[in-house]
Amino acid sequence: MVQRLNNVDDRRDRARQLGRDLAGGRGVDHGIPFCRYFLLGTYYHHDSNVAAQSPKNWSSEVIVITGATGNIGRSLVQALVTAGEPATAVSRKEAAFPAGVRHQRTDFTEPGSLDLTGAKALFLVPPGGWYDAAGILEAARANGVRRVVLVSSQGVGTKRHPAILEQAVQDSGLEWTVLRPSGFHSNTFAWSQSVREQRLVEAPFGDISLPAIDPGDIADVAATALCDPGHAGKTWELTGPAPISPRQQSQVIAAALGEPVRFAELSREEARVRLLRFMPEHVADSTLGILGSPTAAEQQVSADVERVLGRPARPYADWVARNIAAFR
């Protein structure tokens, strides 16, 4: 049962306790080391590691975007620029951003590296490793941040992943919105080299379909939630417009290339060996569980993208068309 906290002090105390638990590497109420919590869609191009810092007198009323070089972050930065919203892009490495966007380089291994001075809203993407989420949220509140949008995971709603971050956000005393995306279209960047060199896609569970989502759609939903207070207290389940299988995705890539692409199905164990190269064992097993034995909820298409944006979620073919150069 989730404990309801009735005042700001209670919420702040809870956030601090979460911070202590997370710093100790414990998944609260789940027995899972937080430092190994990954999202289904952030395996291949995620580059955000952040921690809180004291003021540096930056310009006021900006939106701070963590994970700004990732699949969601780059699209979100562009969406905010288009909307005329001042933005600070946060990343671990040097990167180029559109004119007018301030870049902040941070690293979660350097405590106090995230400046939230003058920020009105924070876009929070969990890195693939430990960071002090409770500390960041407390610093956000102390610096006058009013709103936080968290990228969580569909797996939280289906109970495969812990709800630690969602609870920390909900207990923070800030206006909050939680996004729970399914797997990302961009996860198929993992196939780009084999497609370029061999016209080959290798993946497990070739005919099991899941409603993967365009990370650009997640970014558009995030931009709306960051700018519109009407999304406070909402949890949006974000999926693509239809389930699609790995075999079908390989066919979409082939059609975009105008050349045949061969599909080779990996066994579960072969896929597990590959996943273990860049994710911990329990996360690899959870991922294979979703990909190979999805629940009805994990295969269900959500209408939340259209509810928020007033347009349907974009199909995989659209994402491939925009990114076909990676596969040529």
Side-chain angles (χ1 to χ4, degrees):
M1 178 179 295
V2 176
Q3 180 185 4
R4 290 296 169 195
L5 305 176
N6 297 319
N7 59 62
V8 171
D9 289 337
D10 286 344
R11 289 194 295 266
R12 184 167 59 248
D13 290 345
R14 176 59 175 155
R16 285 172 174 160
Q17 181 59 50
L18 282 167
R20 288 191 291 270
D21 289 334
L22 301 184
R26 296 185 294 277
V28 178
D29 296 329
H30 297 275
I32 299 173
F34 175 78
C35 62
R36 298 304 186 188
Y37 178 65
F38 284 68
L39 300 181
L40 185 59
T42 57
Y43 301 147
Y44 301 110
H45 294 272
H46 183 62
D47 193 33
S48 170
N49 291 296
V50 298
Q53 174 173 334
S54 58
K56 288 185 181 175
N57 299 318
W58 283 5
S59 60
S60 62
E61 296 296 286
V62 300
I63 296 175
V64 175
I65 305 160
T66 67
T69 59
N71 289 307
I72 303 172
R74 282 200 177 277
S75 295
L76 176 56
V77 169
Q78 187 58 59
L80 293 175
V81 169
T82 300
E85 290 284 347
T88 295
V90 177
S91 68
R92 185 177 57 191
K93 300 176 182 178
E94 291 296 334
F97 293 98
V101 174
R102 184 184 295 273
H103 179 224
Q104 181 184 166
R105 184 176 178 181
T106 70
D107 194 309
F108 80 102
T109 63
E110 300 174 3
S113 63
L114 178 64
D115 188 344
L116 294 168
T117 308
K120 65 177 179 179
L122 171 65
F123 176 71
L124 190 56
V125 178
W130 181 85
Y131 75 125
D132 184 6
I136 289 174
L137 292 166
E138 187 167 349
R141 184 170 169 273
N143 280 282
V145 174
R146 299 187 294 277
R147 186 174 306 142
V148 59
V149 174
L150 171 72
V151 177
S152 181
S153 169
Q154 181 192 53
V156 175
T158 60
K159 311 303 182 187
R160 289 189 189 262
H161 295 162
I164 300 167
L165 293 182
E166 290 191 13
Q167 187 167 350
V169 164
Q170 292 163 7
D171 293 347
S172 68
L174 305 175
E175 295 178 10
W176 58 267
T177 304
V178 169
L179 310 183
R180 290 179 176 172
S182 58
F184 295 6
H185 289 165
S186 52
N187 284 351
T188 59
F189 274 134
W191 304 336
S192 59
Q193 183 174 351
S194 65
V195 171
R196 286 195 308 270
E197 296 177 356
Q198 304 175 61
R199 292 295 188 252
L200 171 68
V201 165
E202 296 179 305
F205 316 118
D207 297 308
I208 294 180
S209 298
L210 292 166
I213 186 168
D214 188 327
D217 285 343
I218 305 170
D220 287 348
V221 171
T224 302
L226 287 163
C227 298
D228 182 351
H231 296 272
K234 300 288 182 64
T235 297
W236 296 119
E237 307 280 346
L238 306 180
T239 73
I244 187 169
S245 70
R247 193 184 308 275
Q248 289 169 329
Q249 288 176 316
S250 71
Q251 293 167 353
V252 171
I253 294 171
L257 290 171
E259 299 179 28
V261 172
R262 184 166 59 91
F263 182 83
E265 184 159 344
L266 299 176
S267 70
R268 184 187 184 96
E269 186 54 37
E270 287 171 332
R272 188 174 186 272
V273 169
R274 296 188 183 193
L275 292 179
L276 288 175
R277 295 172 186 167
F278 57 89
M279 65 176 66
E281 185 174 1
H282 76 273
V283 178
D285 290 337
S286 175
T287 299
L288 291 170
I290 295 171
L291 298 178
S293 303
T295 65
E298 288 162 346
Q299 291 185 297
Q300 183 175 352
V301 172
S302 168
D304 281 356
V305 169
E306 187 164 8
R307 288 190 182 99
V308 175
L309 300 180
R311 62 162 177 82
R314 289 175 286 196
Y316 181 65
D318 281 19
W319 180 87
V320 170
R322 299 197 311 274
N323 293 278
I324 194 59
F327 299 92
R328 288 200 183 282

